[in-house]
Amino acid sequence: MISAEEFLRRHPVAPEGDAGHPVRSAREDGIRVDDALTGGAHGPSFCDGAGNAIDENAIDENAPDDDGDSRAARPSRFSRWGKGNGEVEDPSDADACREAALRLLDAAARSSGMLRGRLLDKGYAAGVVDEVIDRLTELHLLDDRDYAESVVRYCAGRMMGRRGTVMELTRKGVDRALATSVADEAESEGVFEEAAWELGRQVARRTRGLERQVRQRRLWSAGGRKGHDPETLRRVAHELLD
């Protein structure tokens, strides 16, 4: 948090009545003075050009912007609060790192691996990031197994197979060993088998009236994209397409 003197130095107020230079308020600069000076309950708050408050936590970080890149891949739109190049003021500031981590977790559930990457991208020191992640894990605010199980449920809802689910877990920053373990548990409970059958029923409905070879090819294509086991797809095709 910057001091009041530092804030006023960065955002000088033009003299009232100066021709061509109307008085600028901190709100017009996109920063609320009260929150900028105190840090607020959840850190600085920001406003748009119309003076409306912007909740950084409400931003969809995966939403693409005009050039197709997700916000997660770009420097923070609020990087002006730091050095202007996306870096934080003090990479060793554990309190600031913790607040940043909590804001990220409030915006969306994340694995420790994904959270670590985001904090490093923000400019925090690796040692500080590891300490913050360890503390959040101790407090059960960060739980990779719970997160992995929620991803498995999401993948099952999309009719994905075991292989596709493990790939999705690792893509989201889940440790490979944990991803494999959670996927094995789901497989033993028949989660991916049922997903394959649901996919097969969907393909069968959509291809009704077509030749069997065409129907089978479409099932294999869809099943392969979703990471299903070939043997499972053979059983499904035999039962539903013959």
Side-chain angles (χ1 to χ4, degrees):
M1 182 177 68
I2 64 174
S3 65
E5 290 79 9
E6 178 67 7
F7 176 81
L8 292 175
R9 184 182 67 79
R10 295 185 185 184
H11 304 279
V13 178
E16 187 171 2
D18 186 8
H21 297 282
V23 176
R24 293 178 57 81
S25 68
R27 178 175 296 277
E28 291 173 316
D29 278 336
I31 302 176
R32 288 201 312 223
V33 177
D34 53 346
D35 285 337
L37 297 180
T38 65
H42 302 286
S45 298
F46 300 86
C47 303
D48 58 21
N52 300 314
I54 299 175
D55 181 5
E56 182 179 5
N57 294 337
I59 296 173
D60 180 5
E61 296 178 347
N62 292 318
D65 62 11
D66 294 338
D67 60 6
D69 291 330
S70 67
R71 292 187 175 96
R74 298 183 288 112
S76 171
R77 64 186 292 185
F78 303 124
S79 59
R80 63 179 293 175
W81 189 248
K83 298 179 180 179
N85 59 358
E87 297 181 1
V88 296
E89 290 283 359
D90 183 0
S92 64
D93 190 341
D95 289 338
C97 182
R98 183 172 58 252
E99 287 299 317
L102 291 173
R103 286 196 297 270
L104 288 168
L105 291 174
D106 188 49
R110 302 168 196 272
S111 66
S112 60
M114 181 178 288
L115 180 62
R116 186 178 193 278
R118 289 301 313 280
L119 292 173
L120 290 174
D121 288 345
K122 286 178 176 290
Y124 294 103
V128 172
V129 170
D130 289 339
E131 289 178 8
V132 167
I133 288 178
D134 288 345
R135 184 55 178 162
L136 292 176
T137 301
E138 290 175 6
L139 296 174
H140 304 292
L141 297 176
L142 190 63
D143 190 319
D144 278 357
R145 176 165 285 274
D146 282 351
Y147 176 77
E149 291 174 351
S150 71
V151 173
V152 169
R153 290 191 293 271
Y154 165 78
C155 290
R158 295 182 62 198
M159 298 173 289
M160 293 174 65
R162 181 187 182 283
R163 177 171 54 83
T165 298
V166 171
M167 291 176 62
E168 182 70 6
L169 285 165
T170 55
R171 186 184 72 82
K172 290 180 176 292
V174 177
D175 178 75
R176 180 78 183 191
L178 177 57
T180 301
S181 174
V182 173
D184 286 344
E185 292 177 9
E187 185 175 39
S188 68
E189 295 173 5
V191 171
F192 303 127
E193 177 85 12
E194 177 55 34
W197 281 95
E198 180 58 32
L199 178 64
R201 287 190 287 267
Q202 187 178 99
V203 172
R205 287 194 299 270
R206 290 178 177 177
T207 60
R208 186 176 293 117
L210 299 179
E211 295 182 359
R212 188 193 187 284
Q213 283 188 331
V214 174
R215 304 179 78 193
Q216 180 172 302
R217 185 168 59 247
R218 293 192 181 177
L219 174 59
W220 276 82
S221 177
R225 289 195 304 271
K226 291 181 177 291
H228 280 287
D229 176 71
E231 184 58 37
T232 303
L233 292 176
R234 287 191 189 93
R235 293 198 309 271
V236 172
H238 177 71
E239 293 292 331
L240 296 178
L241 304 181
D242 284 346

